[in-house]
């Protein structure tokens, strides 16, 4: 595996593969790898000739009071994990390579970024503008055949799919299932912030999704009782959610009833960790 830090070197490394018509899979990450990241690397490895993993803690997607400085960083550890997944290129650009002096461009997706995490009382649409700008850049830098994202960040995945469609990005945007701890907690780099007692309570997020799913499985379709089942689990753990919402899984519009394509999304601050989770109710995962 080669570790590369400049766009020029990245392009030079990929040129022969591109000229030979080989497929290139890209997995964008902020590092601190866990099984969720590794599952995306495995998917990229299974479906492409060349696998590129980018590791960049993107300042543009962190808000003022957020955890940019505290965000866990360990390139040596991440590099060993990527090597273990047979990744070909680890792209670790310094911030100046991504945002050179005079950087003035922003890619924004309207509508989808106004709700859930994009609500201005929460992380705000600026968070997603930071994400879409850096992902657009990574797609241009690498020129992949496919790029891989996790369903764990369901809203982010939808926003990126919309951006790629709207901008005619010549890459497939692949979204893969959420990888969970044995007790159900969605894996996240931010779980490292949880104290033991908080870690125990944090499982309430996935339990809330399960409780709502059980309610749907029993035939309930109205939003309020389904949401009430989810809220009750969070309540039991003493967690006051930022939001628990049902939304259309394809365009995030509000829904009054659960149908085959309804996303239940939850977010909560637990100790120092901002946690999110989601489930497509009645769906495959
Ligand atoms: P991050 O490093 O947190 O920006 O995540 C990089 C990619 O991994 C994003 O596409 C995330 O959606 C994905 N990801 C993060 N956690 C998980 C998880 N538990 N399961 C599946 N994918 C995940």
């Amino acid at each position: 595996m080669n570790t590369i830090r400049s766009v020029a070197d990245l392009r030079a490394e990929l040129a022969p593969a591109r000229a030979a018509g080989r497929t290139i899979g890209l997995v964008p990450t902020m590092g601190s790898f866990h099984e969720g990241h590794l599952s995306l690397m495995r998917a990229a490895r299974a479906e492409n000739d060349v696998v590129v993993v980018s590791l960049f803690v993107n300042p543009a997607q962190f808000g003022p009071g957020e955890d940019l400085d505290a965000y866990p960083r360990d390139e040596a550890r991440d590099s060993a994990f990527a090597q273990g997944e047979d990744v070909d290129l680890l792209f670790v650009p310094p911030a100046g390579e991504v945002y050179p002096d005079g950087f003035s461009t922003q890619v924004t997706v309207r509508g989808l970024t106004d709700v859930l995490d994009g609500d201005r009382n929460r992380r705000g649409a600026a968070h997603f503008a930071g994400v879409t700008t850096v992902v657009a850049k990574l797609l241009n830098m690498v020129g992949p055949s496919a790029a891989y994202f996790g369903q764990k960040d369901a809203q982010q995945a939808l926003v990126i799919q919309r951006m790629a469609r709207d901008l005619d990005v010549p890459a497939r945007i692949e979204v893969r299932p959420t990888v969970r701890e044995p007790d159900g907690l969605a894996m996240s780099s931010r779980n490292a912030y949880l104290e033991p007692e908080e870690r125990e309570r944090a499982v309430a997020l996935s339990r809330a999704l399960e409780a709502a799913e059980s309610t749907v499985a029993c035939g309930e379709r109205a939003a309020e009782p389904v949401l009430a089942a989810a809220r009750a689990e969070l309540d039991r753990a003493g967690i006051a959610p930022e939001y628990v919402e049902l939304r259309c899984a394809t365009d995030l519009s509000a829904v009054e009833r659960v149908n085959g394509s309804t996303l239940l999304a939850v977010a909560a601050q637990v100790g120092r960790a901002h946690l999110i989770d989601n489930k497509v109710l009645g769906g495959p995962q």
Side-chain angles (χ1 to χ4, degrees), residues 27-37 39-40 56 61 71 148-154 156-157 160 176-180 185-190:
V27 182
T29 81
M30 298 206 300
S32 192
F33 294 156
H34 50 66
E35 275 296 320
H37 297 110
S39 73
L40 298 180
F56 179 61
Q61 71 190 71
Y71 200 83
Y148 295 80
F149 299 88
Q151 173 68 15
K152 153 88 182 349
D153 299 280
Q156 169 176 289
I160 289 167
R176 295 305 158 107
T178 302
V179 178
R180 298 177 179 282
L185 178 68
M187 291 196 181
S188 164
S189 306
R190 292 188 164 100

Side-chain angles (χ1 to χ4, degrees), residues 150-180:
Q151 173 68 15
K152 153 88 182 349
D153 299 280
Q155 185 176 16
Q156 169 176 289
L158 284 173
V159 168
I160 289 167
Q161 281 178 323
R162 182 69 62 87
M163 173 194 75
R165 190 206 66 172
D166 288 356
L167 297 182
D168 304 299
V169 172
R172 295 191 327 273
I173 304 298
E174 297 277 346
V175 183
R176 295 305 158 107
T178 302
V179 178
R180 298 177 179 282

